[in-house]
Amino acid sequence: QVQLMESGGGSVQPGGSLRLSCAASGFTATPNCMAWFRQFPGKEREGVADIYPGGGRIHYDGSVKDRFTISYDNAKKTVFLQMNDLKPEDSAIYYCASTSRGLCGLVPSWFNYWGQGTQVTVSS
C-alpha cells in the first residue's frame, strides 16, 4: 500500500524559510502526480503545488508562486516543498498527496493517498 510520510514543519518568523519533505513508499512505479495541499483552521483543504515526478509540468497556486518550489527526488521517492519568504497567512497544516489516477492538479478529490500532515506556523 502507498504510504506518505511528511516532515519539516515547524515555527518560523515572517520572511523565514522551511523545507517540507514527504517520503513515499509502496509505489510500483514513479507516480504520475504528487502535490502539496494545506488546510487552514476551519477551512477546506486547498492546493499549493503539484508536479509530475517523471518530468513535465509544475503548477503553483497564485498565493505561493515565486516563493515556494516543489521538487521530486526519484532516487529517494521524496517530494519537497521549499518555502521561502513565509508569511503569517501561510500558517496551516501542510499535506502531501499522490494519486494512482491519471489526473494531476490542485483538486483534493483527485488524490487517493495522503500524508499525516505537518504544521507550519509563521508568526513573530
Side-chain angles (χ1 to χ4, degrees):
Q1 182 64 258
V2 172
Q3 293 186 331
L4 305 176
M5 183 175 293
E6 298 157 313
S7 63
S11 298
V12 297
Q13 294 183 316
S17 298
L18 285 173
R19 188 176 75 155
L20 306 184
S21 300
C22 177
S25 63
F27 290 114
T28 58
T30 300
N32 290 323
C33 182
M34 298 194 75
W36 287 95
F37 292 81
R38 62 186 179 182
Q39 188 167 19
F40 305 111
K43 297 185 178 180
E44 299 295 320
R45 203 166 298 183
E46 62 182 62
V48 175
D50 64 74
I51 185 172
Y52 287 97
R57 298 174 180 176
I58 292 175
H59 296 96
Y60 297 96
D61 181 77
S63 65
V64 306
K65 192 172 184 177
D66 299 324
R67 296 190 298 120
F68 291 11
T69 302
I70 187 171
S71 61
Y72 183 78
D73 186 327
N74 185 249
K76 296 182 177 180
K77 297 188 183 302
T78 300
V79 63
F80 301 94
L81 185 68
Q82 177 66 48
M83 305 184 293
N84 297 324
D85 191 25
L86 284 161
K87 305 176 184 298
E89 52 264 41
D90 293 318
S91 297
I93 299 175
Y94 284 71
Y95 298 88
C96 64
S98 185
T99 181
S100 59
R101 303 160 186 166
L103 296 170
C104 194
L106 299 177
V107 181
S109 63
W110 290 358
F111 294 81
N112 53 338
Y113 304 115
W114 294 87
Q116 291 289 108
T118 184
Q119 179 71 50
V120 171
T121 302
V122 185
S123 66
S124 299

